[in-house]
Amino acid sequence: MSFHTHEHNHAHAHSTNTRILRVSLAVIGGFMLVEAAAGWLSGSLALLSDAGHMFSDAASLALALFAFKWAEKAANSQKSYGYQRVEILAAALNGLTLVVMAAWIVVEAVIRAFKPVPVAGGAMLAVAVIGLLVNLFVAWYMLRGEKDNLNMRGAFLHVIGDLLGSVAAVAAGLLIQFYGWNWADLAASAAVALLIGKSGWGVLSGSLHILMEGAPKGTDLVKIAEDIQKINGILGVHDLHAWTITSKKHAMSCHVIVHSGLTVAEADALVKQVQAAVRAHGIGHITVQTEPADGGEACCQACEQTAHECGHEHGHAHEH
């Protein structure tokens, strides 16, 4: 017995992505420690929040590496899809961490608004500028990676978000250094918190949607059913389900009603037409079961899809 994993990544691209993630993780992780220490010593919440965002970037890069590694494990009798869902679990954990971090920054900003803490604007500005340069380098370096890989794109967007956080920290440092506006530190940290929270919620909600077997994003099951029923020889379709295995790997299963007199070869030809119609919607793994039309079943399948009763009695029941 064999288990198909439908792996489409080339070894060279995988190796390149892994190398880029490792270098980026080392650079981001190293400066994160420097920035966190500087934020603590200077009293800058903006630097601390930006260090927090860098931590989320480092975690995202580490999780991406982890997912790449585990996704390579072969499928088996217990895990027929292999370990490809590890990427989604890692993304969910990363999203949750981002949301919690954003909440902490907002709470800390509110506390400091009532109990101001002196900020060393010069030190804050110097570290923020270095952070900006680090993020610019990492963003440029990550452009060498695979553009259409979800792991790489997610990690890259985290770095871009952190780059914007560094811009906010630099702006706050300038305002404090030249105008003495300590409130700019709180404003910058709040802006970074909103950025982190929005990114984190997007990642978390998207991951949960996949884990709950939701339809792939942008997939219209009604339109798919209509396209299937346009095929000559297809009398109806029901039990249509679509889900995402991992990024860019979607699956669908359905039952189609066909004429009872079809030969095996004719039914197989219809199945291939159904699969071609579904692939046009971006779904690659498709399972189609044909059912012969008998009794009132062919006319009742539409009622079954809309959960209405039409009065016909069927010789068998479908399990959902």
Side-chain angles (χ1 to χ4, degrees):
M1 181 181 293
S2 63
F3 299 89
H4 300 287
T5 58
H6 298 275
E7 294 181 0
H8 302 294
N9 291 331
H10 296 292
H12 178 70
H14 178 82
S15 176
T16 300
N17 290 337
T18 301
R19 184 181 69 255
I20 290 173
L21 287 173
R22 284 175 177 167
V23 172
S24 299
L25 176 60
V27 175
I28 289 289
F31 186 75
M32 174 199 71
L33 297 176
V34 174
E35 190 171 40
W40 181 268
L41 294 174
S42 67
S44 170
L45 181 59
L47 281 183
L48 288 174
S49 62
D50 194 46
H53 201 178
M54 275 200 161
F55 171 78
S56 73
D57 290 342
S60 176
L61 294 170
L63 287 171
L65 279 170
F66 176 79
F68 271 132
K69 185 64 177 177
W70 273 72
E72 295 175 354
K73 298 184 69 174
N76 54 53
S77 61
Q78 298 300 310
K79 294 179 176 61
S80 59
Y81 282 124
Y83 292 82
Q84 299 176 69
R85 274 286 175 88
V86 170
E87 175 190 334
I88 308 304
L89 291 172
L93 178 60
N94 186 32
L96 180 61
T97 303
L98 285 169
V99 171
V100 172
M101 189 176 302
W104 174 81
I105 293 172
V106 170
V107 170
E108 187 66 20
V110 171
I111 293 174
R112 290 199 178 193
F114 291 96
K115 294 182 179 180
V117 175
V119 178
M124 172 186 173
L125 179 59
V127 176
V129 168
I130 298 174
L132 177 60
L133 295 175
V134 168
N135 281 307
L136 282 171
F137 167 77
V138 173
W140 168 79
Y141 187 67
M142 290 190 70
L143 286 174
R144 303 181 181 187
E146 203 176 2
K147 302 296 188 299
D148 58 350
N149 184 279
L150 184 60
N151 255 344
M152 293 298 294
R153 188 166 73 239
F156 177 74
L157 289 176
H158 269 275
V159 173
I160 292 298
D162 195 38
L163 192 154
L164 295 177
S166 295
V167 171
V170 169
L174 288 171
L175 291 174
I176 293 172
Q177 182 71 9
F178 294 103
Y179 297 98
W181 295 352
N182 284 350
W183 58 264
D185 182 62
L186 299 181
S189 62
V192 173
L194 290 175
L195 181 66
I196 295 174
K198 182 179 179 180
S199 300
W201 179 251
V203 172
L204 179 60
S205 61
S207 302
L208 292 178
H209 179 76
I210 293 175
L211 294 174
M212 291 296 291
E213 303 290 351
K217 185 177 180 181
T219 299
D220 187 343
L221 294 184
V222 174
K223 182 64 169 62
I224 291 177
E226 291 175 351
D227 288 349
I228 291 175
Q229 292 184 100
K230 289 177 182 178
I231 298 172
N232 187 29
I234 300 295
L235 304 180
V237 58
H238 62 92
D239 286 347
L240 193 155
H241 302 282
W243 64 97
T244 297
I245 300 169
T246 188
S247 60
K248 300 191 298 181
K249 294 185 180 181
H250 310 305
M252 194 206 79
S253 65
C254 69
H255 292 198
V256 294
I257 310 298
V258 300
H259 292 290
S260 57
L262 291 181
T263 65
V264 173
E266 290 170 335
D268 184 61
L270 281 178
V271 167
K272 286 182 170 58
Q273 290 184 58
V274 171
Q275 291 175 331
V278 175
R279 286 193 185 96
H281 291 268
I283 298 176
H285 187 95
I286 307 152
T287 302
V288 181
Q289 178 177 326
T290 59
E291 296 179 2
D294 54 25
E297 183 172 336
C299 71
C300 292
Q301 53 81 27
C303 301
E304 185 177 337
Q305 287 179 339
T306 55
H308 290 162
E309 296 294 336
C310 62
H312 285 92
E313 293 185 2
H314 299 279
H316 63 278
H318 299 292
E319 294 184 1
H320 298 276

